[in-house]
Amino acid sequence: MPRKQYGRAAAAANDLMTRADVLALAGRHAKFTGTLTTALTISLGATQTVTLAVSPVVAGDSLAAGEDISVQPTAAIPGGINLAWWYVSATNQVALGFTSSALISLPSPSIPFRVTVHR
């Protein structure tokens, strides 16, 4: 009987890919990406919450509610808008809270984000 292999090459050699294998290949910090396309209308001193759907960089991974994450826009956020807070609201969904230093309205933004999960 052939000996079972372990490690990075094992996934291909054993032809089995479990969630644990996917997470091991993804490394300690898993990466997800998503693009915000929800319209933003924020008044001075107000907060607007939007949901960002994200996709894993490594196929088969998923983002679970309660995981510790950091969020970074990978393009400039328009002036006057601040990313105030974030959390995983559901599987592969991140709630983002925006504040503003003035009345700002963006009817159709396209702001890409990178989400890093600290596992």
Side-chain angles (χ1 to χ4, degrees):
M1 179 171 189
R3 184 176 153 197
K4 185 168 180 154
Q5 298 179 16
Y6 297 93
R8 289 188 183 264
N14 294 329
D15 201 28
L16 295 173
M17 195 71 150
T18 65
R19 185 169 193 277
D21 293 330
V22 169
L23 295 177
L25 289 173
R28 182 177 171 167
H29 302 297
K31 307 282 190 220
F32 291 78
T33 59
T35 300
L36 177 66
T37 57
T38 304
L40 294 174
T41 302
I42 311 169
S43 299
L44 176 62
T47 300
Q48 181 175 350
T49 303
V50 296
T51 300
L52 176 68
V54 296
S55 301
V57 171
V58 175
D61 198 359
S62 64
L63 182 60
E67 288 197 273
D68 183 26
I69 62 171
S70 58
V71 175
Q72 292 110 0
T74 56
I77 293 178
I81 296 178
N82 306 302
L83 180 57
W85 50 264
W86 54 85
Y87 65 90
V88 181
S89 57
T91 302
N92 291 343
Q93 293 186 356
V94 175
L96 303 173
F98 291 94
T99 61
S100 174
S101 59
L103 173 59
I104 294 183
S105 181
L106 295 172
S108 57
S110 181
I111 306 169
F113 285 88
R114 180 179 61 239
V115 176
T116 303
V117 185
H118 306 282
R119 294 181 169 142

